[in-house]
Amino acid sequence: MRVLVIGSGAREHALLLALSRDPQVDYLAVAPGNAGTSAVAEQHDVDITAADEVVALARKLSADLVVIGPEVPLVLGVADALRAAGIACFGPSKDAARIEGSKAFAKDVMAAAGVRTATSEIVDNPAHLDAALDRFGPPAGQQAWVVKDDGLAAGKGVVVSADRDAARAHAAELLESGHPVLLESFLDGPEVSLFCVVDGETVVPLLPAQDFKRVGDNDSGPNTGGMGAYTPLPWLPAAVVDQIVDEVVKPVAAELVRRDSAFSGLLYAGLAITSQGPAVVEFNCRFGDPETQAVLALLETPLGSLLNAAATGTLGSLGELQWQDGSAVTVVVAAENYPGRPRVGDVITGSETAGVLHAGTTRRADGSVVSSGGRVLSVVGTGADLAAARADAYRIIESVRLPGSHFRTDIGLAAAEGRISL
């Protein structure tokens, strides 16, 4: 099977590494890729948001399967163009990708499917902002205001704050830039990311994970695209995962089918396990980053066969997924000043170390690997338990050097110490 992966981050590096372990995959390509993916796949420089360019590349490479990593090409309909050209694609249609591309659409789907989520309100007029803020946040008995960009924001369009001025400033900035604002009630309880491979109404869950959005230890500082993750979750009973599949993912998948927007690809449910049970924080239409790096490190089932089954409508005939025992931890190494404008162009040493996945990297003419983005590397450690996986990840980080870089030191720590419970 010849596979083309679309994207350039550590998520795509993880997908390629997992695909390379599948004996059915005999050729791998990536567009555009990064300095690390060149070691496992042939690289091609195309505009991944241009459907015609992606289709032309897939045809040129005689790709049997195209796997789209990022959300933007999916929301723009690149998967539709590939399918129209007769090329199998892992990734939802433009219609189905609205589950991530429009939070208002996702809320409507969840309401129709009877899925628990935060109460919400869309604000598209600055004149209505203050009254709406008064209906949410601490004055309404909540712990914080939750302000979101209604569209795509690469994981950074959210402010959760007990400071009304900070919440209002973020909302006003979004409105001034022409983006509608979604206000939500605050959901208490630990968060869970559950990836499910979906083909219409067939749902196959992967291991649950937890990611860390805040830039600093102890969940301090602004939101980022994600600073780390771990899997599985020792504090989450298997029965709760089953409940999420049965009460959240399957009803949403069925509702999308009912709307003639059947989902085919990776449906990501981000949830809070509240005192009243699981409630959805958000849906994404693709593999999440950095959770993917940890989850795929433990997958034993051949990934190419799994993704191809979803892309070709045969997911229901696939057997139960197989996983390695133990745990995996991902720690993101970020450039100086991230999540603000990152410093780029710094030489990285140790980036070829086993367990180091590339994201914001490029290779200079002299062969040096340099930083080119905010989240530069993902370091993945594995072990017999969470403590061992953490130790492995932070051991690997010691061999990496990037001037001015920073990373969290507490990824998975609370769970490893037994400080998370339901």
Side-chain angles (χ1 to χ4, degrees):
M1 181 162 53
R2 297 172 63 84
V3 182
L4 167 62
V5 174
I6 301 298
S8 62
R11 164 185 52 215
E12 286 74 36
H13 197 172
L15 285 164
L16 288 164
L17 288 172
L19 287 164
S20 72
R21 300 193 296 265
D22 186 337
Q24 297 300 313
V25 175
D26 54 11
Y27 171 82
L28 281 172
V30 61
N34 56 48
T37 58
S38 61
V40 288
E42 186 176 284
Q43 305 217 147
H44 298 269
D45 188 14
V46 301
D47 179 358
I48 64 172
T49 67
D52 56 343
E53 291 191 30
V54 175
V55 170
L57 177 60
R59 282 176 168 157
K60 175 184 174 183
L61 300 177
S62 299
D64 300 301
L65 174 67
V66 178
V67 178
I68 300 178
E71 62 274 20
V72 174
L74 295 168
V75 170
L76 293 176
V78 173
D80 304 74
L82 287 161
R83 292 192 182 98
I87 301 166
C89 177
F90 183 83
S93 67
K94 180 178 181 178
D95 272 353
R98 288 183 294 163
I99 199 75
E100 178 171 1
S102 167
K103 294 177 179 65
F105 174 78
K107 290 288 186 182
D108 187 59
V109 169
M110 284 186 276
V115 170
R116 282 193 70 235
T117 185
T119 57
S120 64
E121 180 177 340
I122 292 285
V123 180
D124 57 9
N125 186 331
H128 301 156
L129 177 58
D130 286 304
L133 285 169
D134 289 342
R135 291 190 284 274
F136 290 83
Q142 303 290 330
Q143 297 180 35
W145 281 273
V146 180
V147 182
K148 297 182 178 182
D149 188 332
D150 182 51
L152 297 178
K156 291 176 283 188
V158 181
V159 163
V160 180
S161 177
D163 183 339
R164 188 182 192 279
D165 290 341
R168 190 187 190 285
H170 181 62
E173 181 181 357
L174 291 173
L175 289 168
E176 286 171 11
S177 62
H179 291 226
V181 168
L182 183 77
L183 299 181
E184 285 188 336
S185 59
F186 180 81
L187 295 174
D188 64 326
E191 292 196 4
V192 172
S193 299
L194 185 65
F195 298 169
C196 293
V197 178
V198 174
D199 169 21
E201 295 193 41
T202 303
V203 174
V204 176
L206 307 188
L207 290 179
Q210 185 178 62
D211 77 329
F212 295 75
K213 289 294 188 188
R214 300 282 187 170
V215 71
D217 285 356
N218 301 312
D219 291 329
S220 61
N223 273 343
T224 70
M227 293 299 293
Y230 68 95
T231 189
L233 310 182
W235 48 269
L236 186 71
V240 177
V241 176
D242 294 339
Q243 180 185 5
I244 294 168
V245 172
D246 291 339
E247 298 181 6
V248 175
V249 184
K250 286 184 176 179
V252 164
E255 176 61 21
L256 289 172
V257 169
R258 192 188 69 78
R259 295 179 181 219
D260 294 324
S261 299
F263 195 99
S264 174
L266 195 290
L267 187 56
Y268 166 139
L271 310 108
I273 311 302
T274 73
S275 52
Q276 284 76 45
V280 174
V281 175
E282 64 177 354
F283 275 105
N284 291 334
C285 64
R286 38 69 192 185
F287 278 102
D289 183 337
E291 300 99 319
T292 297
Q293 293 89 294
V295 170
L296 293 186
L298 299 181
L299 180 66
E300 288 190 339
T301 296
L303 181 64
S305 302
L306 172 61
L307 303 187
N308 192 57
T312 58
T314 59
L315 184 61
S317 63
L318 202 69
E320 186 175 347
L321 300 187
Q322 300 300 310
W323 300 92
Q324 295 178 30
D325 293 333
S327 297
V329 170
T330 302
V331 181
V332 170
V333 178
E336 182 176 339
N337 199 44
Y338 179 80
R341 183 185 295 274
R343 191 173 98 182
V344 298
D346 289 306
V347 174
I348 308 163
T349 58
S351 65
E352 310 304 324
T353 305
V356 177
L357 307 185
H358 290 230
T361 68
T362 189
R363 195 176 297 274
R364 294 195 313 211
D366 64 3
S368 298
V369 175
V370 299
S371 59
S372 61
R375 291 190 296 171
V376 181
L377 304 169
S378 283
V379 175
V380 181
T382 57
D385 57 22
L386 188 50
R390 274 180 38 82
D392 190 43
Y394 287 107
R395 174 189 60 78
I396 296 170
I397 282 181
E398 292 176 1
S399 66
V400 176
R401 294 288 181 271
L402 172 61
S405 63
H406 59 96
F407 58 87
R408 285 185 59 158
T409 66
D410 63 346
I411 303 300
L413 179 60
E417 294 180 345
R419 292 189 279 117
I420 301 179
S421 61
L422 301 184

